[in-house]
């Protein structure tokens, strides 16, 4: 079993990354292989709705001038996916949106390879907007026929400065429980 996680923040060691790494640590303790991918800060184009992936059905986006096809391949190989994004103007980072749109289009054009994978969203916010970010990522998971584990609260933290997530005791325990639930689901659906 493997979970691939995408940090949609350009801050490689910020609060979104810390949330993801907290979840991955729990999954690794459960014996699940993990991979952390720095998505934010990569130059990714948005979906052009060109339809080439639908015509070719080769499991790839038509645009090969960025890392998206590498990311899509890692998602195809994984049993679970964690997507994290900071809150930018009450929404996702542009890289996170590009990942969702392009991967989703390629999946739907190629037999819906996302179906029944386990997906979890995490979000860091300065003050507000986190619910919209979580909803956007979870909408992607749900429309892709994926299974989304819950937790004891929303998978978010109110964090501004790097390191603030570790000070948010409720946020840390929420992320740990989400990862425990993800591991529980993976073990029951993949073994």
């Amino acid at each position: 079993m493997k979970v691939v996680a995408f940090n949609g923040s350009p801050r490689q060691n910020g609060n979104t990354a810390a949330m993801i790494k907290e979840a991955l640590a729990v999954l690794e303790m459960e014996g699940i292989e993990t991979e952390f991918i720095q998505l934010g800060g990569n130059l990714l184009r948005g979906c052009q709705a060109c339809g080439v992936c639908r015509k070719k059905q080769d499991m790839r986006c038509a645009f090969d001038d960025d890392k998206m096809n590498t990311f899509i391949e890692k998602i195809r190989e994984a049993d679970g996916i964690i997507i994290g994004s900071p809150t930018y103007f009450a929404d996702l980072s542009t890289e996170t949106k590009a990942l969702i749109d392009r991967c989703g289009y390629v999946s739907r054009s190629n037999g819906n390879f996302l179906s029944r994978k386990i997906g979890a969203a995490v979000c860091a916010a300065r003050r507000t907007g986190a619910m919209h970010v979580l909803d956007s990522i979870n909408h992607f998971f749900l429309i892709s026929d994926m299974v989304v584990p819950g937790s004891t609260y929303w998978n978010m933290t109110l964090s501004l400065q790097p390191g603030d997530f570790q000070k948010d005791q409720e946020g840390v325990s929420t992320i740990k429980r989400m990862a425990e639930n993800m591991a529980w689901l993976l073990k029951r659906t993949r073994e």
Side-chain angles (χ1 to χ4, degrees):
M1 288 177 287
K2 182 172 183 178
V3 172
V4 62
F6 294 90
N7 178 21
S9 173
R11 294 181 179 170
Q12 295 181 17
N13 296 305
N15 292 301
T16 306
M19 296 174 78
I20 293 168
K21 289 175 182 177
E22 188 74 43
L24 295 181
V26 171
L27 292 166
E28 289 166 3
M29 286 188 334
E30 292 284 341
I32 296 168
E33 181 184 351
T34 67
E35 183 176 1
F36 178 91
I37 295 175
Q38 181 60 39
L39 178 65
N42 284 301
L43 297 176
L44 300 177
R45 68 170 56 229
C47 181
Q48 303 295 302
C50 64
V52 173
C53 64
R54 182 160 286 166
K55 290 175 189 162
K56 285 188 172 183
Q57 295 185 342
D58 62 356
M59 305 283 188
R60 299 179 59 79
C61 177
F63 295 99
D64 217 6
D65 56 352
D66 60 19
K67 296 180 181 180
M68 188 62 71
N69 282 316
T70 300
F71 300 153
I72 290 170
E73 182 61 28
K74 290 188 178 288
I75 288 170
R76 285 184 55 234
E77 293 170 354
D79 301 294
I81 304 158
I82 296 173
I83 298 176
S85 178
T87 304
Y88 288 173
F89 296 93
D91 216 332
L92 307 167
S93 68
T94 56
E95 297 91 346
T96 305
K97 183 63 172 150
L99 177 74
I100 286 171
D101 289 349
R102 289 173 65 190
C103 180
Y105 207 132
V106 170
S107 174
R108 292 174 85 76
S109 299
N110 289 276
N112 201 20
F113 59 75
L114 292 169
S115 182
R116 296 191 174 148
K117 290 185 184 285
I118 311 299
V122 302
C123 174
R126 181 186 67 82
R127 268 184 96 63
T128 62
M131 288 310 300
H132 185 75
V133 174
L134 292 173
D135 285 346
S136 293
I137 298 170
N138 284 328
H139 290 160
F140 164 67
F141 291 149
L142 294 171
I143 199 170
S144 298
D145 195 32
M146 294 174 65
V147 178
V148 178
S151 187
T152 55
Y153 196 68
W154 308 114
N155 301 333
M156 48 109 20
T157 184
L158 296 178
S159 302
L160 177 60
Q161 298 301 321
D164 283 352
F165 167 66
Q166 287 84 357
K167 299 172 191 171
D168 178 2
Q169 291 179 354
E170 184 178 16
V172 171
S173 67
T174 299
I175 296 305
K176 285 181 177 179
R177 184 60 177 176
M178 177 273 300
E180 290 169 357
N181 287 339
M182 187 176 211
W184 185 88
L185 278 168
L186 284 164
K187 289 178 179 181
R188 276 147 187 84
T189 60
R190 300 300 190 265
E191 290 181 345

